Amino acid sequence: MTTTPFQNASTWIDAENAQDPNHETYQSITYPKELLYSNRMYKRLMDFHPNASESVQIASKAQHICRWKIARESYPMDRVGYLKWREDLKKFHAKTTAVILEKAGYSEEFIARVSFLIEKKLLKKDEETQLLEDVICLVFLEYYLDPFVHKHDREKMKNIILKTWLKMSEKGQQEALKINYSAANLELIKESLEL
């Protein structure tokens, strides 16, 4: 049976992410952390926008590909260091994905488009970049907000939630309000957004 470039690329992206030495347990099953994140991104994208293009689908799966290879600690632990780390990560994720897509037989044009999306270029202006950003924010709010709440004080959390909210489209924001939050987190979200 022949496989499509998309199936091959997906399998290879999963194989890369499955090598993550960091693990996360969800519903009593332990996963490589970035593989779990990749699966959550893809599932959320397809639920939120079932007609998403193939380039967005791949960008959603590869959003954090091999993220553990560039440690946050290898940069200065300040705002400037954090932003540089994030910028370098985007380029690294785009490059790592480009190699896989080339091997899968995609055109240069397609690969350039996926890189553009992973690097989140023209946010708020490019519809697909915005769609990907919405999915990133939805996945954060659904699965990663709670661990953050336990790590940071209330004022910092309110700032994080507000920043996340402002990155989203109106459709994304409406979707975010449908997530099943704990009572305490819902209260925090409402307080952050002054709802």
Side-chain angles (χ1 to χ4, degrees):
M1 204 174 101
T2 56
T3 51
T4 64
F6 180 78
Q7 286 168 324
N8 284 332
S10 295
T11 301
W12 295 334
I13 289 166
D14 286 350
E16 289 293 331
N17 280 328
Q19 294 174 45
D20 191 348
N22 308 296
H23 290 86
E24 189 178 325
T25 302
Y26 179 65
Q27 293 178 342
S28 307
I29 301 171
T30 301
Y31 301 87
K33 197 175 166 190
E34 293 309 344
L35 181 63
L36 180 60
Y37 179 79
S38 174
N39 291 340
R40 284 168 169 170
M41 282 289 294
Y42 184 70
K43 184 181 183 316
R44 171 51 86 174
L45 172 69
M46 299 320 285
D47 289 347
F48 181 55
H49 196 87
N51 302 324
S53 72
E54 208 165 296
S55 48
V56 182
Q57 290 182 44
I58 288 173
S60 75
K61 285 186 73 68
Q63 187 58 36
H64 278 182
I65 191 167
C66 299
R67 193 180 186 88
W68 66 91
K69 291 185 178 180
I70 301 182
R72 169 67 186 98
E73 293 71 38
S74 59
Y75 290 78
M77 294 306 282
D78 54 16
R79 180 92 184 127
V80 175
Y82 173 75
L83 293 173
K84 175 84 176 89
W85 173 65
R86 289 293 299 265
E87 207 44 51
D88 288 351
L89 271 176
K90 279 191 233 171
K91 290 184 181 124
F92 168 71
H93 296 321
K95 211 167 160 181
T96 306
T97 308
V99 172
I100 289 172
L101 296 181
E102 203 173 327
K103 191 170 91 167
Y106 279 105
S107 68
E108 274 181 34
E109 193 185 353
F110 183 89
I111 295 169
R113 181 64 184 160
V114 172
S115 296
F116 176 96
L117 292 168
I118 289 176
E119 291 185 43
K120 294 200 278 193
K121 291 185 174 171
L122 294 183
L123 189 58
K124 297 281 183 192
K125 293 191 182 85
D126 184 280
E127 244 175 73
E128 291 189 323
T129 302
Q130 186 57 53
L131 171 59
L132 189 63
E133 185 63 44
D134 280 351
V135 172
I136 291 165
C137 294
L138 290 167
V139 167
F140 168 72
L141 289 168
E142 184 167 3
Y143 297 105
Y144 302 97
L145 176 67
D146 203 54
F148 258 72
V149 168
H150 298 292
K151 274 197 299 202
H152 301 293
D153 64 61
R154 199 168 181 85
E155 282 315 303
K156 179 154 188 182
M157 277 315 303
K158 280 164 70 174
N159 189 27
I160 288 170
I161 290 166
L162 185 59
K163 275 186 179 163
T164 303
W165 199 256
L166 294 174
K167 284 183 196 169
M168 296 165 87
S169 68
E170 201 178 319
K171 190 183 171 206
Q173 291 169 350
Q174 286 166 359
E175 192 68 18
L177 292 172
K178 297 177 194 166
I179 292 171
N180 189 14
Y181 303 102
S182 68
N185 286 348
L186 183 61
E187 192 49 49
L188 177 63
I189 287 167
K190 286 182 169 174
E191 197 181 310
S192 311
L193 307 174
E194 298 176 356
L195 294 176

